[in-house]
Amino acid sequence: MQHPEVESLDRDGILKIQRDGLARLGARLAGCEAWKAHFAEAGMTPEDLGAEGGLESAPFMDKSLLRDRYPFPFLTVPMEQVERFVATSGTTGLPVTFGMTKNDLRQLLPYQMSRLLTAAGVRPGFRAYQGYGYGLWIGGPALDAGFSEVGCTNFPIGPGRGELAARWLRDHAYDVASMSPLWLMTLVQAAKHQGIDPRTEWTLKVAILGGQSVSAEFRAQLEAEMPEGFMSHNIYGTTEAGGPILAISTPYTHADDELQLLNEDTVIVEILDPKTMKPVSDGEVGEIVITTIRKEASPVVRWRTRDLVRLSPRPYDCPSGRRGMRKIGRIIGRTDDMIKFKGVIVFPSQIEDVIAGIPGLAKEAWQIYVDKEATTIGKMTVAVESVMAEQRPGDEAASDVRREIKARLGINVNVECHPEGSLPRYEAKATRVLHRPEAAH
């Protein structure tokens, strides 16, 4: 444990930290006119956060609320106290900016990130290949902060330059890599094309994989391409939370395909039924809603992430000794990326699970095409790629995909099998659902 005095607390200990944090947060927000107006719409004041049941009564926040206050929504400190800005990707509209004070960037972020990395098995002295992007995106700076705090030697390469990166993984002898899981699989293929065997010529021990959740099947196939003992870990967070700081899988949760919410002393995570907005029970699916109790410049209160997750059936029994911080499953999907097809709710992750289990297909390259921009669609096509080295007829693999989707989801979809290298590779977050009129054909 990086911070055993916090990580070993029981649930009551964590809840006490959260209550105290809410009271301090409410006092800070009370000095900001925008926040006072936001709470007034719910008949509250910011100070009410510190009262019994205050958080449960507080209004929710989403991107439309922030875009109405463009360009610096709910900034809680004077601009001269903001050291830098970060922003959302803007994949669903205008990017939203969030400020970070010196304390947010240089104290809080390293504290949060180093805890997750340590729990995943990253150790002082590791050589780190940091493959997340920079600019306004928080991914790269967050991993930089975490690797520095743990005591790693960091190579901040960022995304791209696949052939060179595949050689550097051998020549620089990296111990840990942080990047999109799809990009790491792409690097495996790039290495093989250069005659490099990742299993014997790379030295990776750990991968910190984010940007999108991947299935256990995909993860197992990725791990099979790596040196003995290698373990990959999903990491999860959002720009609004302050980075990829919310949860990570660990050697104790890996086999169960679960992550642990390891920063519940700095971010309150509610898992709520998206229809009733009431807490779900153990083992049930809900939307992640976050409240940042220590961020200074751009805190959020009851921020709706739209990410859906299953609360672990046994959220508090981690053998690591972290008794007060809950376990969750991997991210299932988003409330705004689900597809309603022939009356059935479909998430891209369900399609990925099918593709990952079909031999002869590229696991990192696939797309869903729908025939119009609407939640309910009339035609859906799944595009996959055949792998030449496996010498399996594409139409045979496509037939397997079609049959397995029908068996699992009860729907008939079109399946196209393309030659290897035809479909996009994503260095960061993959865009799995695209719209095209010809999806009807």
Side-chain angles (χ1 to χ4, degrees):
M1 295 185 187
Q2 181 78 354
H3 310 115
E5 71 283 1
V6 174
E7 293 176 70
S8 61
L9 290 172
D10 61 15
R11 188 61 179 170
D12 286 342
I14 296 295
L15 291 175
K16 183 181 186 308
I17 291 175
Q18 292 182 351
R19 286 192 298 271
D20 293 345
L22 279 172
R24 289 192 295 272
L25 175 64
R28 289 205 312 273
L29 301 185
C32 178
E33 292 301 321
W35 279 106
K36 287 196 289 187
H38 174 62
F39 276 89
E41 290 182 8
M44 297 177 63
T45 67
E47 292 96 334
D48 292 335
L49 279 175
E52 186 72 28
L55 182 62
E56 292 79 1
S57 303
F60 292 98
M61 302 177 72
D62 60 18
K63 283 184 179 174
S64 64
L65 180 73
L66 269 58
R67 288 183 178 128
D68 289 344
R69 290 158 177 79
Y70 176 86
F72 306 119
F74 292 102
L75 192 62
T76 310
V77 299
M79 183 63 78
E80 56 268 24
Q81 292 181 24
V82 178
E83 179 158 332
R84 70 164 287 166
F85 275 92
V86 296
T88 58
S89 62
T91 52
T92 57
L94 189 68
V96 177
T97 56
F98 294 84
M100 300 183 78
T101 65
K102 183 175 183 178
N103 185 67
D104 291 336
L105 185 64
R106 303 185 185 275
Q107 299 296 325
L108 180 59
L109 186 60
Y111 172 84
Q112 295 168 322
M113 288 300 304
S114 64
R115 180 182 297 172
L116 266 63
L117 294 176
T118 298
V122 179
R123 297 293 177 260
F126 271 19
R127 299 179 191 182
Y129 169 0
Q130 200 311 96
Y132 292 116
Y134 291 92
L136 279 170
W137 194 43
I138 187 62
L143 268 297
D144 285 352
F147 286 140
S148 176
E149 187 73 6
V150 172
C152 299
T153 301
N154 188 12
F155 294 77
I157 297 165
R161 295 191 292 178
E163 289 193 4
L164 178 60
R167 291 200 296 273
W168 276 353
L169 276 155
R170 176 194 64 191
D171 300 341
H172 293 172
Y174 303 128
D175 301 287
V176 57
S178 55
M179 63 185 66
S180 152
L182 307 176
W183 185 241
L184 185 55
M185 184 65 93
T186 300
L187 292 181
V188 168
Q189 304 309 321
K192 290 181 175 180
H193 289 153
Q194 297 176 80
I196 299 170
D197 185 351
R199 282 171 290 195
T200 57
E201 298 183 76
W202 289 2
T203 54
L204 282 179
K205 301 176 179 67
V206 183
I208 308 299
L209 304 178
Q212 59 270 315
S213 186
V214 294
S215 68
E217 178 74 24
F218 181 97
R219 187 188 66 195
Q221 292 178 12
L222 182 61
E223 290 176 344
E225 300 282 2
M226 295 295 179
E228 187 175 352
F230 169 88
M231 191 173 285
S232 66
H233 293 293
N234 284 334
I235 190 170
Y236 169 68
T238 69
T239 303
E240 299 82 14
I245 54 89
L246 291 172
I248 199 166
S249 73
T250 74
Y252 298 96
T253 70
H254 182 273
D256 293 330
D257 198 18
E258 292 186 332
L259 296 77
Q260 195 160 20
L261 294 162
L262 288 181
N263 279 311
E264 290 203 274
D265 59 322
T266 59
V267 183
I268 297 174
V269 178
E270 300 174 89
I271 303 176
L272 307 180
D273 182 310
K275 291 189 175 70
T276 67
M277 299 314 291
K278 300 296 182 185
V280 302
S281 301
D282 298 354
E284 293 183 348
V285 172
E287 180 184 338
I288 292 178
V289 175
I290 57 171
T291 298
T292 56
I293 52 178
R294 280 182 50 185
K295 275 178 69 181
E296 292 178 343
S298 294
V300 293
V301 176
R302 305 201 93 188
W303 174 267
R304 296 191 62 174
T305 67
R306 308 293 178 180
D307 291 326
L308 295 172
V309 76
R310 187 181 304 279
L311 182 59
S312 173
R314 303 174 309 281
Y316 298 110
D317 72 343
C318 188
S320 67
R322 298 179 179 93
R323 301 171 296 148
M325 299 184 181
R326 293 166 296 169
K327 295 182 298 178
I328 57 174
R330 62 184 164 95
I331 304 302
I332 295 169
R334 292 177 54 82
T335 58
D336 51 10
D337 76 0
M338 68 181 188
I339 303 163
K340 192 169 185 182
F341 179 65
K342 308 295 187 185
V344 177
I345 299 298
V346 180
F347 289 101
S349 60
Q350 295 171 302
I351 303 299
E352 182 195 59
D353 286 348
V354 169
I355 294 169
I358 304 293
L361 297 178
K363 311 308 179 188
E364 72 278 14
W366 55 275
Q367 293 288 160
I368 298 171
Y369 297 109
V370 297
D371 65 346
K372 64 177 184 292
E373 295 201 27
T375 304
T376 303
I377 61 173
K379 300 290 183 184
M380 186 165 84
T381 298
V382 175
V384 295
E385 270 187 17
S386 59
V387 176
M388 287 185 292
E390 299 193 27
Q391 296 184 329
R392 187 171 189 226
D395 56 352
E396 187 179 295
S399 178
D400 284 353
V401 173
R402 194 179 301 110
R403 186 182 63 251
E404 192 64 20
I405 289 175
K406 172 67 173 177
R408 293 196 196 186
L409 303 179
I411 56 175
N412 291 305
V413 301
N414 301 320
V415 180
E416 303 171 348
C417 192
H418 296 260
E420 188 171 6
S422 304
L423 297 175
R425 264 67 176 168
Y426 294 96
E427 297 171 2
K429 187 179 294 186
T431 303
R432 288 306 189 196
V433 182
L434 298 175
H435 303 278
R436 65 176 191 185
E438 64 268 27
H441 303 300

